[in-house]
Amino acid sequence: MIHLYLDDWRPNPKGFALARSGEECLLMLRECEVDILSLDFELGYDQMNGGDVVASMIAEGLRAREIFLHTSSPAGRRKMYELLYAHMPEDVKIHNGPMSESVMRDVAQGLR
């Protein structure tokens, strides 16, 4: 099981696999069981955005056990959260914001 961080420019938190594009994130979701997924919205000009990733996850039945939204785009966060809330199974924990320091510390120390 992996923890997955989607972002086109932020540094990768310790303990996470890094996806720099929406396509890379979807590939990892297809190939791996994902515990924690943290999503950015803006992924670069003329690229998939986080909303596209979430829409593809829903269409393909891809999931993670827990999903955080670390984007700085309020509209992007709202779009992703509304899609996830409406379509993810009830056992998927969806957070309308970034990971806390304690979650990041636990992952970095291998406690999660």
Side-chain angles (χ1 to χ4, degrees), residues 12-29:
N12 189 35
K14 185 176 181 185
F16 283 80
L18 177 63
R20 287 288 186 200
S21 69
E23 294 85 358
E24 188 176 12
C25 181
L26 290 169
L27 177 66
M28 293 171 117
L29 283 162

Side-chain angles (χ1 to χ4, degrees), residues 56-70:
S56 293
M57 288 174 64
I58 292 164
E60 296 181 40
L62 303 172
R63 57 190 286 185
R65 290 186 183 179
E66 194 166 3
I67 302 172
F68 292 89
L69 307 174
H70 68 263

Side-chain angles (χ1 to χ4, degrees), residues 51 54-55 58 78-88:
V54 169
I58 292 164
R78 184 179 65 247
K79 178 180 180 176
M80 291 188 295
Y81 182 78
E82 289 174 357
L83 281 169
L84 290 164
Y85 185 81
H87 297 285
M88 281 289 131

Side-chain angles (χ1 to χ4, degrees), residues 8-77:
D8 62 324
W9 67 272
R10 287 179 183 92
N12 189 35
K14 185 176 181 185
F16 283 80
L18 177 63
R20 287 288 186 200
S21 69
E23 294 85 358
E24 188 176 12
C25 181
L26 290 169
L27 177 66
M28 293 171 117
L29 283 162
R30 290 179 192 120
E31 298 288 324
C32 304
E33 188 175 352
V34 177
D35 185 23
I36 296 174
L37 172 63
S38 188
L39 297 171
D40 189 15
F41 185 78
E42 300 292 338
L43 299 173
Y45 178 75
D46 206 26
Q47 299 295 315
M48 292 180 81
N49 63 43
D52 298 327
V53 171
V54 169
S56 293
M57 288 174 64
I58 292 164
E60 296 181 40
L62 303 172
R63 57 190 286 185
R65 290 186 183 179
E66 194 166 3
I67 302 172
F68 292 89
L69 307 174
H70 68 263
T71 184
S72 58
S73 167
R77 177 179 290 121

